[in-house]
Amino acid sequence: MIATVIARKDVVYINISPSPGTVKLNKAFGFRLFSGGQVAFLPAFNSVPPSDRVLEVHAELADMAELTDNERYILQEHAALGCLSLICICDGVALPVVLKPRRILRGLIPCCQVVYCRSHVDLVRCAGALGRFLLRRGKLLCLVDAMGPVPGLSGRYFPKKGIKYFKGPKQPSPGDLTFTEMVLFGS
């Protein structure tokens, strides 16, 4: 039955929570790894150029015009789903970021999971301003999917933590969990 569901060649399918028993099955169906672990990082430890700032998204925000139609849609829809939809203005460039508030280590530590950013490079670029923004909201720690340590982020890579697979023509970028079960169902 699953073979019929994932048969289309023009669609990207992802599995963000494979149980150990399904990894071999994922591979047999042609799924490939796109995140081999997670980086836990402290964005407030990154430097913040004086002109950098973070804006929380709302419909009338003028800086939304700097983004693509798709990015505006992602930000607005994820804000409605309880995520922090943000625009980081770094050196005059608008960078979209979506974060999902979470708790880790048996619910004791508040943190944010990166749900969307264009790239790790953009995340590093705006990490300091993002950290300052999150600190005012009581969040010190962030998580982002990765295949290894992310140069420029102050943190630690945890291999095999939160591994994720995909099948299809285009590999998702690490940090792209838009419209996944994590966002929709809070898992």
Side-chain angles (χ1 to χ4, degrees), residues 74-95:
I74 288 169
L75 290 174
Q76 290 172 329
E77 290 297 311
H78 282 75
L81 291 167
C83 293
L84 284 172
S85 290
L86 309 169
I87 298 176
C88 299
I89 308 295
C90 300
D91 299 320
V93 177
L95 305 171

Side-chain angles (χ1 to χ4, degrees), residues 55 57-58 61 63-64 67-81 83-88 95-99 116 178-179:
L55 308 168
V57 167
H58 56 83
L61 185 63
D63 296 273
M64 291 282 278
L67 306 174
T68 67
D69 289 343
N70 187 51
E71 288 171 334
R72 285 192 298 274
Y73 175 75
I74 288 169
L75 290 174
Q76 290 172 329
E77 290 297 311
H78 282 75
L81 291 167
C83 293
L84 284 172
S85 290
L86 309 169
I87 298 176
C88 299
L95 305 171
V97 176
V98 177
L99 303 172
Y116 178 77
T178 54
F179 302 107

Side-chain angles (χ1 to χ4, degrees), residues 3-4 6 13 34 50 69 76 122 124-125 131 161 167 176:
T4 304
I6 61 171
Y13 303 93
F34 79 91
D69 289 343
Q76 290 172 329
D122 282 354
V124 169
R125 187 175 179 186
K161 190 78 176 163
K167 176 183 173 144
D176 186 355

Side-chain angles (χ1 to χ4, degrees), residues 14 16 34-39 41 74 78 96-100 112-121 123 143-147 150 153 162 164 171-180 182-183:
I14 62 173
I16 68 164
F34 79 91
S35 175
Q38 289 188 325
V39 175
F41 65 102
I74 288 169
H78 282 75
V97 176
V98 177
L99 303 172
K100 172 77 175 171
C112 287
Q113 173 76 46
V114 176
V115 171
Y116 178 77
C117 65
R118 290 178 184 158
S119 68
H120 283 153
V121 171
L123 186 60
L143 305 171
V144 67
D145 296 326
M147 289 299 284
V150 177
L153 288 182
K164 294 167 181 64
Q171 178 174 332
S173 63
D176 186 355
L177 300 173
T178 54
F179 302 107
T180 62
M182 175 183 288
V183 173

